[in-house]
Amino acid sequence: MSKVRSAALTTFFALFLLTLSLGIWQINRGYEKRELENTFSFQQSYPVEEITYNLDSKINLYRNISIRGRFLQNLFYLDNKIYDGKPGVVVLSPFELEDGSAIIVSRGWVEMQDRQNFMKIETPNEIMSIVGTLRPASSGLTLSNDTTLKLDDNFFLIQSLAIKEMEEIVGINFKPFVLELSDLSPAAFTSIWKPINLSSYRHFGYAAQWFGLSLVIVLGVFVYLYRGKSK
C-alpha cells in the first residue's frame, strides 16, 4: 500500500472516529437535557411554597418558592447580557433571610446602553416576601479575564456568577443557589433566565447529523478502495 493511500485511509478513520464520538456525545447531552426538562416540569407543577427553613435541600431546586427577609445594599451587575437585540445586565442582589443566612437573588435584566456610566438601580431595604425559582448557581461563560470591576461603594460589575468572589466582597457566605425572581415580586425586572438553553430534541438532531456524516465517511472509504482496485 502506497504512503499516500495509507495516509488517506488514516485520515478517513480519524474523521470517522471524530464524527462518531461527537454523535455519541450529543446523544448523552440529549438524555441529560431530557432529564432536566422532566425535572423542571415536575418541580414547576407544585404551587408556590413558603420556605422558612431547609432552603439548602436540593428537593427545592427548580420549584417556585417564597422567602422572607431583606435585600442588602450590595449590588452586582452581571455583564454582557443581550435581550431583544439590546445590551444590558442582569441585576444580582444579596438577600438576607430571617434566619440570618443569605442567598443571591437574580432580579432580572435591565437595559444598559452607556457602558461608560452604569446607572445604579435602587434596592428596597424593608423586610419583604419575594417569590422566585430556586436554581443551582452556575457561573456560565466568562468573556473577560477581569471578573470584577468596582463601580462605586457596594456596586460592582462582574463577568460571571462567581459566588466565592462575591462572598469575599460582601463578607458573608451565600447559599449555593440563586433565586430567579418572579416578575410579580417587588424589585423585579425583566426575567430572561431559561433553565435549558438547548432542548433535548436539538441535541438528538445534531447527533443524527454527526452519525449521518460518519456514514458518508464510511461510504467514501469504500468508494476510495473500490476505485483503487480498479486502477
Side-chain angles (χ1 to χ4, degrees), residues 37-220:
E37 289 168 348
N38 292 337
T39 299
F40 182 76
S41 297
F42 180 75
Q43 293 290 74
Q44 287 286 296
S45 67
Y46 285 105
V48 176
E49 181 178 355
E50 183 178 4
I51 303 296
T52 56
Y53 66 95
N54 202 27
L55 184 60
D56 293 332
S57 175
K58 292 185 178 180
I59 197 173
N60 295 316
L61 279 178
Y62 303 114
R63 290 190 65 175
N64 293 318
I65 64 172
S66 171
I67 56 177
R68 185 170 177 81
R70 65 182 183 89
F71 284 105
L72 303 181
Q73 291 307 301
N74 304 89
L75 189 65
F76 297 89
Y77 283 171
L78 185 57
D79 200 10
N80 298 307
K81 296 298 180 182
I82 306 298
Y83 177 69
D84 199 22
K86 300 175 182 178
V89 298
V90 168
V91 181
L92 303 172
S93 292
F95 189 82
E96 185 180 38
L97 286 77
E98 291 185 317
D99 64 2
S101 62
I103 188 173
I104 293 295
V105 174
S106 176
R107 297 164 58 186
W109 178 87
V110 174
E111 182 179 357
M112 289 285 171
Q113 293 283 354
D114 186 0
R115 297 190 54 79
Q116 302 302 319
N117 184 25
F118 285 91
M119 177 182 60
K120 189 173 184 180
I121 298 297
E122 291 295 325
T123 301
N125 57 13
E126 66 269 18
I127 300 293
M128 63 175 65
S129 293
I130 59 175
V131 176
T133 301
L134 194 68
R135 70 167 176 87
S138 173
S139 60
L141 178 65
T142 301
L143 300 179
S144 172
N145 293 327
D146 299 323
T147 57
T148 303
L149 176 64
K150 185 174 182 179
L151 301 175
D152 200 351
D153 292 339
N154 301 323
F155 184 25
F156 302 89
L157 181 71
I158 59 177
Q159 301 298 323
S160 66
L161 184 56
I163 293 292
K164 293 297 182 183
E165 192 170 347
M166 297 168 76
E167 287 177 338
E168 292 177 1
I169 292 172
V170 181
I172 58 176
N173 293 326
F174 297 121
K175 294 185 179 299
F177 308 111
V178 172
L179 185 74
E180 288 289 337
L181 200 58
S182 166
D183 288 333
L184 301 179
S185 284
F189 301 106
T190 304
S191 177
I192 64 171
W193 175 73
K194 296 180 180 180
I196 304 168
N197 293 325
L198 194 63
S199 71
S200 59
Y201 293 105
R202 292 283 295 276
H203 283 288
F204 293 139
Y206 290 145
Q209 293 177 12
W210 285 118
F211 289 144
L213 188 54
S214 298
L215 180 60
V216 170
I217 292 172
V218 171
L219 294 176

Side-chain angles (χ1 to χ4, degrees), residues 19-33 198-211:
T19 54
L20 187 64
S21 62
L22 288 172
I24 294 173
W25 180 80
Q26 289 288 357
I27 286 289
N28 290 333
R29 289 292 291 161
Y31 280 118
E32 290 174 3
K33 289 292 181 67
L198 194 63
S199 71
S200 59
Y201 293 105
R202 292 283 295 276
H203 283 288
F204 293 139
Y206 290 145
Q209 293 177 12
W210 285 118
F211 289 144

